[in-house]
Amino acid sequence: MHSFNKLALSIVAAALSLSSLSAKADNLKDQIKIKPSALILLDAAGYLGNDDDQFEPGVAIPDVRIGLQATFCDSWFAKIDVKYANKKVSPCDIYIQKTFNERHDLKIGSFIYQFGLQAAYPSFLKPMYEAPGADLAMGFDRLLGAQYTYNGARWFFAGAIHAGPKAVEFNANQRGRSEWGALFRTVWRPRHQHGDILSVGISGAANTAQNLKEQERHDYYDLMLPFPTQVSRVTAASATIDNVKGVYRFSPEFLIAKGKWAFETQYYLLNAQRKNGQASYTAQGGYGYVRFLARGDRFNYSAINGGIAFPQPGQVEVVGGVDYVSLTDNHIDGGRLMTASVTGNWFINKYLTWRLRTGYSHRTHRLGAPDIDNFTFETRLMFRY
């Protein structure tokens, strides 16, 4: 980790020193243009509930990122971000992308892959403040692999092959047998003009079991769900499935928007097939929320991401909804979590966003842990460049 910290500091120094440079080539198409990027999240939160020992009010800096973006040779793009969170420096997005034309591109590296509607939104700007619980528990973190994307007039498709997230954290000899998988997302969007959006999609994925030779863990799969707040980090539900042969995911999605109003929903189903005649394990969940522009005339569409575009400076958005997750099945009492929340998002200008959220969470059915009712009141100031 010490050596990685040195590498991270070197990357940051390079990003700052190179930010104003543009390499000059004999051919204009061979130019390289380098631009720095940065992200700062500042949080404050208070809590009420029947388990105040776990939830402590306070302030936090849950995410700081700095990075470098480069465009070169007319159709190539590269990005590297490093992240500081929880007293730890770690890699974030690291990839190279080739754009063949306005319809087709290929991306290789470590990033958030296209699985479900939530993949259309960056991790630091989910409409409901934090990602829905079902996505945190059954979606994907950053993976290492390759993804092809087709961005058509009425159809969007992304397909990928990848290694597991531990491929970035551990060497192959530490992991042992690697986790491999494939996934896809396809979206039909008969209407995707600004202010008039209708899309229906489906995602699927299959991957092998997890292994960590260094800790003598083999053929397992971990699922973990935190409560939706980052000032106090408390686990809401978790499940460890043993003797795993393969893990399969299925997720339909729906999005509709008209003028100032939008509605989004998604369902998640995860099934783990097991060895030695053991019964399979199933986790499931979903969310639905309504978005309303209190200031601003309409929602815009991002065709390349297959979702609602980043709001414009000056707009004010209110988002209300519910999500539900169950990680309890077949004698694995991982827990169930239901959350209802309302979030306000004020996009002050191009760089600053202020967010305010209040939410209620109810946790049950977790082995060895009490039922919890928690009310959260939190706010976040975000700088993004």
Side-chain angles (χ1 to χ4, degrees), residues 16-341:
L16 294 175
S17 63
L18 291 173
S19 61
S20 63
L21 296 180
S22 177
K24 294 183 178 180
D26 294 334
N27 190 327
L28 184 62
K29 289 185 178 182
D30 292 332
Q31 275 193 343
I32 180 169
K33 297 180 181 178
I34 300 173
K35 181 175 110 170
S37 61
L39 173 73
I40 302 172
L41 303 184
L42 304 173
D43 281 18
Y47 308 97
L48 294 173
N50 63 350
D51 201 338
D52 293 336
D53 290 342
Q54 293 192 67
F55 294 90
E56 295 289 349
V59 295
I61 304 177
D63 199 346
V64 175
R65 302 183 199 178
I66 191 164
L68 186 69
Q69 301 177 13
T71 56
F72 56 99
C73 296
D74 193 42
S75 60
W76 290 86
F77 177 81
K79 180 179 180 181
I80 180 170
D81 277 343
V82 291
K83 173 180 178 178
Y84 176 78
N86 302 318
K87 299 181 181 179
K88 179 182 176 182
V89 177
S90 58
C92 210
D93 290 335
I94 303 174
Y95 64 84
I96 298 171
Q97 179 176 322
K98 165 67 175 178
T99 300
F100 298 99
N101 53 45
E102 63 179 9
R103 300 289 192 210
H104 307 273
D105 68 61
L106 178 67
K107 188 185 293 187
I108 301 174
S110 174
F111 53 93
I112 299 293
Y113 283 62
Q114 285 282 349
F115 182 85
L117 182 56
Q118 286 299 308
Y121 310 121
S123 59
F124 54 83
L125 194 59
K126 301 297 185 182
M128 290 180 67
Y129 201 93
E130 302 293 346
D135 191 72
L136 289 173
M138 290 172 281
F140 288 97
D141 200 350
R142 286 172 176 82
L143 302 168
L144 180 58
Q147 175 179 275
Y148 162 77
T149 302
Y150 169 73
N151 179 24
R154 287 180 171 249
W155 289 92
F156 172 92
F157 173 80
I161 54 174
H162 62 83
K166 288 183 173 59
V168 178
E169 301 176 44
F170 298 94
N171 297 326
N173 59 323
Q174 293 174 308
R175 295 192 310 270
R177 190 167 62 253
S178 295
E179 174 193 353
W180 295 97
L183 59 83
F184 75 90
R185 179 187 178 211
T186 185
V187 178
W188 177 55
R189 46 194 188 190
R191 301 204 308 266
H192 55 94
Q193 297 79 24
H194 296 329
D196 185 17
I197 303 165
L198 175 64
S199 72
V200 180
I202 189 168
S203 298
N207 54 278
T208 60
Q210 297 170 343
N211 291 277
L212 196 52
K213 180 181 177 182
E214 191 176 59
Q215 298 179 8
E216 297 184 356
R217 302 183 67 197
H218 305 284
D219 297 331
Y220 73 95
Y221 208 85
D222 282 340
L223 299 174
M224 199 279 287
L225 172 63
F227 279 91
T229 177
Q230 296 198 52
V231 174
S232 282
R233 296 174 182 268
V234 181
T235 299
S238 63
T240 295
I241 309 110
D242 60 0
N243 292 315
V244 171
K245 290 193 296 185
V247 178
Y248 307 92
R249 291 170 171 87
F250 166 79
S251 185
E253 64 181 75
F254 176 77
L255 164 64
I256 187 170
K258 192 72 174 178
K260 294 173 173 281
W261 292 89
F263 173 73
E264 303 183 14
T265 187
Q266 187 174 347
Y267 171 75
Y268 297 74
L269 178 70
L270 179 148
N271 179 263
Q273 294 293 313
R274 305 169 76 188
K275 300 177 180 178
N276 304 324
Q278 289 184 274
S280 64
Y281 167 87
T282 299
Q284 58 185 319
Y287 68 85
Y289 52 76
V290 175
R291 304 174 64 173
F292 172 69
L293 283 177
R295 180 188 295 173
D297 59 350
R298 64 185 182 182
F299 284 104
N300 294 332
Y301 189 74
S302 172
I304 191 61
N305 294 315
I308 289 177
F310 195 93
Q312 298 298 309
Q315 291 187 336
V316 177
E317 179 188 33
V318 179
V319 185
V322 297
D323 68 80
Y324 172 80
V325 184
S326 174
L327 301 186
T328 294
D329 184 59
N330 260 338
H331 308 295
I332 298 177
D333 295 324
R336 293 171 180 162
L337 182 71
M338 187 280 294
T339 298
S341 67

